Amino acid sequence: MKIQYNQKNESDIVINFVFYDSKKIKDFIIKKNGYLTEDLENKIAYLYIDEKHANIDGLTKVIDSFASSIKRNYQINTESLTSHFDIYDALRILIMRLDFHSSVLFKKSIDDLKEVKKFKPQISLIINTFDEKHVDNYVKKIKIISNSVKSARFLQSMPENFLNSEQLAHYVAKDLKQIPEIQVTVFTKSNIEHLGMNLLLSVNKGSTHEPRVVILEYNGDPESKQKTVFVGKGITFDTGGVNTKGYHTEGMKYDMSGSVVAAFALKALAKLKAKVNAAAIMCITDNRSAGDASLPENVYQSMSKKWVEVVDTDAEGRLVLADGIFYSASVLKATTIVDIATLTGSLKFALGETYSGVWSTSDEKWEKLKEASLTTFEKIWRMPLHEDYHKENKNSKVADLKNYSSKVPCDHNQAAMFLKEFTKGVDFIHCDIAYTAAKDQVAQGVLIPTLVEFALNLKS
């Protein structure tokens, strides 16, 4: 995507947005929402938006529909949106959504062997402004965030036979090592054993690949003691283990989404040279059943020294996160911990596939996260942390905690309370993206923009 200030390319068609209440709408313009009327002779086109869609959600849908079907080069006159939208909001939507639809995701095809040059339509944004420097800085920021989303989505889309736990760790480490400001540490199985991350190791017992923990650190404000740590669930494929999912495994390659969201949110902060201290932890393995796989009712000691009874091997996400969260609090000395995970199936009954669920021990930091989501237009909803949801977690006859109980119908709340046990009292936010990480088998890179803005908000 090209950004052009106060100029246009005479060879491409210029798109103007036309709204239902625009004055002097030309008679030949088709007044149907999202319809593009082209005047090829004059190299101009009109994209119509009706009253129902003259809002951020509506604009997003119009851009999505347009971007997924373009056949030629266009230039978008962003000024034509300013009658109904703030220019910065409009630019964010345009850049993020146009980049989303032009992203290259994983796909293997026999066509890969052919040297066929396909025409790729180009979209340019024409920005007419007297404050070019300020707008340019804003555009660069959104492009950095958008690039992180694209990187995460590519990894999300890869199947496990191309991206196992060892490969995922290698790919991310290689990528982020290119940024001098990021310190990259990769823990192998022996390192993980030495640290006592036995909950993560228990999930890995049935795997043919070693687990990995990737630690990414960025210290943009050395004088501050504040540190935000993102902890991401990185299950490269989830069969459910011995408590098998059976045939219900479609989309389980996306169970590593939280780990790449954490990693690439951190990358964006580093690329922005943000004056914040932040880190990301990727807790990576697959969850499968094999000869030495963890069994239901097995008991393991976590890094925190608390013992956990594994009632259900398909509640593995909270196990790997527990060790990562404790590492954040005890070793990285986090002042805010945010975990991101495709964690619970029950969340669908509470929020459907529209909102990501959020649990927070801090009202103040929830407000900061909410403010960030309103800036990025990502949908989040606060869920309750209450001791009533924790009773069954503490009801094991053989350990300090158990990882699941079928007696609690809202397992999403139960899981959040389980994770809270490993925070050492540090301010904690849990984000469940089980039904927003991918939609219709398309990776979304969800919450990366919001986490970046959240980290920046904590500074203010």
Side-chain angles (χ1 to χ4, degrees):
M1 182 193 304
K2 295 180 180 179
I3 308 296
Q4 298 171 196
Y5 294 97
N6 303 310
Q7 60 179 325
K8 64 180 182 178
N9 183 345
E10 297 297 336
S11 64
D12 294 337
I13 295 174
V14 175
I15 294 177
N16 287 312
F17 286 86
V18 177
F19 292 88
Y20 67 97
D21 57 353
S22 298
K23 296 179 180 179
K24 298 181 181 179
I25 300 177
K26 297 181 184 295
D27 292 337
F28 65 84
I29 294 175
I30 296 176
K31 300 173 183 63
K32 178 181 177 182
N33 186 66
Y35 196 93
L36 185 70
T37 304
E38 295 182 323
D39 179 355
L40 297 180
E41 182 179 350
N42 294 303
K43 293 189 176 179
I44 193 166
Y46 303 90
L47 190 54
Y48 185 80
I49 298 182
D50 64 17
E51 184 174 6
K52 180 181 177 181
H53 292 85
N55 51 61
I56 288 295
D57 282 350
L59 176 63
T60 300
K61 290 176 181 177
V62 168
I63 297 300
D64 283 345
S65 177
F66 163 73
S68 62
S69 60
I70 58 173
K71 299 291 191 296
R72 65 174 96 247
N73 294 342
Y74 290 104
Q75 300 171 89
I76 295 177
N77 176 16
T78 60
E79 190 176 14
S80 64
L81 282 164
T82 57
S83 62
H84 288 74
F85 297 98
D86 174 83
I87 185 61
Y88 294 101
D89 290 346
L91 287 173
R92 182 185 286 271
I93 293 296
L94 285 167
I95 293 169
M96 295 296 296
R97 298 316 298 171
L98 291 172
D99 274 357
F100 183 94
H101 289 282
S102 65
S103 296
V104 176
L105 300 182
F106 177 91
K107 184 177 181 179
K108 290 295 181 183
S109 169
I110 192 171
D111 292 338
D112 295 342
L113 302 175
K114 304 174 184 177
E115 293 186 8
V116 179
K117 290 186 177 180
K118 295 182 179 180
F119 171 71
K120 294 182 179 180
Q122 297 294 317
I123 302 293
S124 301
L125 301 184
I126 305 171
I127 303 174
N128 299 311
T129 176
F130 294 104
D131 192 3
E132 184 175 323
K133 183 177 180 181
H134 189 272
V135 173
D136 189 48
N137 288 338
Y138 180 79
V139 168
K140 287 177 179 176
K141 171 187 173 181
I142 302 304
K143 285 294 292 181
I144 285 171
I145 295 171
S146 183
N147 286 337
S148 273
V149 172
K150 287 196 286 186
S151 296
R153 292 182 65 222
F154 181 81
L155 291 178
Q156 282 184 275
S157 67
M158 294 182 74
E160 195 275 343
N161 64 319
F162 281 86
L163 195 73
N164 60 45
S165 53
E166 297 163 40
Q167 292 167 323
L168 174 56
H170 174 76
Y171 187 101
V172 172
K174 182 180 179 181
D175 184 358
L176 271 65
K177 278 181 179 177
Q178 298 177 50
I179 303 174
E181 294 83 3
I182 296 180
Q183 179 183 335
V184 179
T185 306
V186 179
F187 292 147
T188 62
K189 185 175 182 178
S190 60
N191 301 133
I192 295 168
E193 289 171 338
H194 180 73
L195 287 167
M197 291 183 162
N198 296 313
L199 299 186
L200 170 57
L201 289 166
S202 75
V203 179
N204 181 251
K205 280 170 65 66
S207 179
T208 56
H209 305 291
E210 283 197 2
R212 289 289 186 267
V213 173
V214 181
I215 311 293
L216 308 163
E217 297 180 79
Y218 167 72
N219 295 312
D221 189 7
E223 296 180 1
S224 173
K225 293 183 179 180
Q226 298 299 308
K227 188 172 191 177
T228 302
V229 179
F230 305 131
V231 184
K233 173 187 172 184
I235 303 296
T236 55
F237 196 88
D238 183 15
T239 70
V242 172
N243 293 107
T244 178
K245 294 178 183 290
Y247 291 103
H248 306 290
T249 57
E250 184 181 25
M252 285 301 107
K253 70 177 183 179
Y254 296 113
D255 218 17
M256 42 64 75
S257 296
S259 68
V260 292
V261 168
F264 287 100
L266 184 87
K267 181 180 180 180
L269 287 169
K271 294 281 284 184
L272 289 168
K273 300 189 183 302
K275 196 173 181 181
V276 299
N277 300 321
I281 301 180
M282 305 172 71
C283 304
I284 311 171
T285 180
D286 57 56
N287 181 29
R288 67 177 85 189
S289 179
D292 194 35
S294 179
L295 298 175
E297 301 183 355
N298 278 8
V299 175
Y300 302 96
Q301 189 174 36
S302 69
M303 186 182 178
S304 73
K305 304 305 180 187
K306 293 177 183 177
W307 290 87
V308 177
E309 178 187 4
V310 178
V311 173
D312 189 336
T313 62
D314 195 24
E316 85 297 333
R318 65 201 75 180
L319 297 177
V320 304
L321 287 171
D323 281 335
I325 288 168
F326 186 78
Y327 186 94
S328 302
S330 60
V331 179
L332 295 182
K333 306 300 181 185
T335 54
T336 305
I337 298 172
V338 184
D339 87 75
I340 313 98
T342 47
L343 204 64
T344 58
S346 64
L347 188 63
K348 185 175 184 178
F349 300 104
L351 298 179
E353 299 179 2
T354 303
Y355 283 79
S356 298
V358 174
W359 292 253
S360 179
T361 61
S362 165
D363 291 339
E364 178 187 355
K365 289 179 180 176
W366 154 251
E367 290 297 332
K368 293 284 188 181
L369 187 69
K370 180 182 176 182
E371 179 186 344
S373 73
L374 293 174
T375 298
T376 63
F377 309 114
E378 293 191 292
K379 293 179 172 61
I380 62 173
W381 195 266
R382 191 177 188 182
M383 304 293 286
L385 282 172
H386 194 281
E387 282 298 319
D388 282 358
Y389 301 119
H390 200 32
K391 291 177 181 178
E392 284 300 315
N393 286 333
K394 298 186 290 184
N395 197 29
S396 172
K397 299 292 191 296
V398 295
D400 299 306
L401 298 164
K402 57 183 180 181
N403 77 327
Y404 179 77
S405 172
S406 59
K407 294 181 181 179
V408 182
C410 43
D411 180 48
H412 42 282
N413 294 329
Q414 178 177 238
M417 291 300 294
F418 177 88
L419 295 174
K420 181 174 173 284
E421 278 282 332
F422 300 89
T423 63
K424 295 187 69 176
V426 174
D427 287 347
F428 172 59
I429 295 175
H430 163 54
C431 303
D432 194 336
I433 57 171
Y435 291 94
T436 54
K439 294 185 178 181
D440 298 323
Q441 289 293 296
V442 178
Q444 299 293 307
V446 70
L447 290 192
I448 290 175
T450 296
L451 293 177
V452 172
E453 296 291 350
F454 171 69
L456 297 174
N457 285 350
L458 286 181
K459 184 67 180 176
S460 60

